[in-house]
Amino acid sequence: MVKILLIEDEPGIQETIQISLESEGFSVLVTSTGKEGIQKVSNDISLIILDIGLPDQNGFEVLKEIRKKYQTPVIFLTARNTEIDKILGLEIGADDYIVKPFSPRELLARIRAILRRTNPSQNLEDHKLRISLDKKLVYLNGQTLNLSPYEYKTMELFFKWPGRIFTREEIMDSVWTEPEDSFDRAVDTVIKNIRARFKEMEPDFDPIETRRGQGYGLKEKI
């Protein structure tokens, strides 16, 4: 069973997260302070959910202590949404960052994505879809999709974060390597082409979610 350590001092958030994760089959260990959280980290913990605003010390300090001995994946929880906080958190070793209030479903999607990324297996699977990171290929029902480099990189990004919606800017920043290849609506064109590839192989199959005014992502359940 996957064991998750939750370091969070707000009882309501503690309870919501614990019930949500345990209902999905995770084992959850809950602590309320940074000091106690650091003491509870062990090789048995698969992932840590860490609140930045703890009563005894901030989450950045806690993560620095954890990173002296462990490389366990960490998701930051915070009530703040400033760019500098996000950059600082990721630079000191966090794997993801989620702002309160958030939905349990979003948190679960982030957790699954990180556990999938940190799994030793090089193949990521989502029902009939599969991606081979070493071969840089996407498969549908065992058949290879004919994707361009940007189309593949977009699908790789989506596979790593199922259920998460990316803005056009986030996709561009993660996928595009040549500035001269970027143009207005370039991401929309790539998504349209990916959908066309799926339609060629299975007309009614569309694993990509579109949210008007927000962006695109891989549907969490297909």
Side-chain angles (χ1 to χ4, degrees):
M1 180 179 291
V2 174
K3 185 179 291 186
I4 294 176
L5 172 62
L6 172 61
I7 309 175
E8 165 63 60
D9 65 308
E10 296 184 39
I13 295 178
Q14 279 185 0
E15 183 179 10
T16 298
I17 293 176
Q18 185 171 8
I19 291 174
S20 177
L21 296 186
E22 289 180 346
S23 69
E24 293 293 322
F26 296 107
S27 172
V28 184
L29 180 62
V30 180
T31 66
S32 301
T33 66
K35 182 179 179 180
E36 185 181 10
I38 292 169
Q39 294 173 345
K40 295 293 185 182
V41 181
S42 69
N43 291 323
D44 292 334
I45 302 296
S46 298
L47 183 139
I48 300 167
I49 302 172
L50 174 58
D51 185 23
I52 289 179
L54 295 169
D56 57 336
Q57 54 187 318
N58 68 53
F60 298 135
E61 295 170 346
V62 174
L63 179 56
K64 287 179 182 178
E65 288 298 314
I66 291 172
R67 284 289 177 259
K68 290 178 180 179
K69 188 175 180 180
Y70 299 97
Q71 294 303 312
T72 310
V74 171
I75 297 177
F76 267 139
L77 299 181
T78 180
R80 301 178 295 186
N81 192 24
T82 62
E83 188 68 19
I84 188 65
D85 283 346
K86 182 175 182 179
I87 292 172
L88 177 59
L90 297 177
E91 284 184 346
I92 65 175
D95 295 82
D96 204 354
Y97 189 101
I98 189 167
V99 179
K100 303 174 185 177
F102 56 86
S103 70
R105 180 181 176 186
E106 180 184 6
L107 179 60
L108 282 166
R110 302 283 186 95
I111 290 171
R112 290 192 185 106
I114 290 175
L115 293 176
R116 182 178 295 191
R117 285 209 320 273
T118 55
N119 191 297
S121 171
Q122 284 295 297
N123 287 332
L124 304 177
E125 299 187 10
D126 200 299
H127 299 278
K128 62 179 73 179
L129 272 182
R130 183 170 66 87
I131 185 169
S132 174
L133 300 180
D134 50 358
K135 295 181 180 179
K136 298 189 182 302
L137 293 173
V138 176
Y139 304 90
L140 177 60
N141 294 325
Q143 298 184 354
T144 305
L145 270 76
N146 182 24
L147 300 177
S148 72
Y150 285 138
E151 292 163 7
Y152 167 79
K153 289 177 182 177
T154 300
M155 285 301 298
E156 181 180 296
L157 176 66
F158 289 173
F159 258 102
K160 289 180 177 179
W161 304 91
R164 179 172 177 176
I165 299 299
F166 294 88
T167 66
R168 291 177 177 85
E169 291 76 16
E170 288 172 332
I171 296 172
M172 188 79 71
D173 289 344
S174 298
V175 172
W176 263 250
T177 56
E178 301 295 335
E180 60 269 22
D181 291 338
S182 62
F183 55 89
D184 189 35
R185 314 303 286 187
V187 172
D188 296 343
T189 299
V190 164
I191 297 297
K192 180 180 179 181
N193 291 341
I194 293 172
R195 282 187 162 131
R197 304 286 185 267
F198 283 120
K199 189 173 182 179
E200 290 170 1
M201 299 181 70
E202 190 170 328
D204 296 327
F205 183 69
D206 182 8
I208 297 176
E209 181 176 357
T210 300
R211 290 189 190 173
R212 187 177 299 276
Q214 297 183 43
Y216 304 100
L218 185 69
K219 295 175 181 176
E220 188 175 356
K221 293 184 179 181
I222 304 172

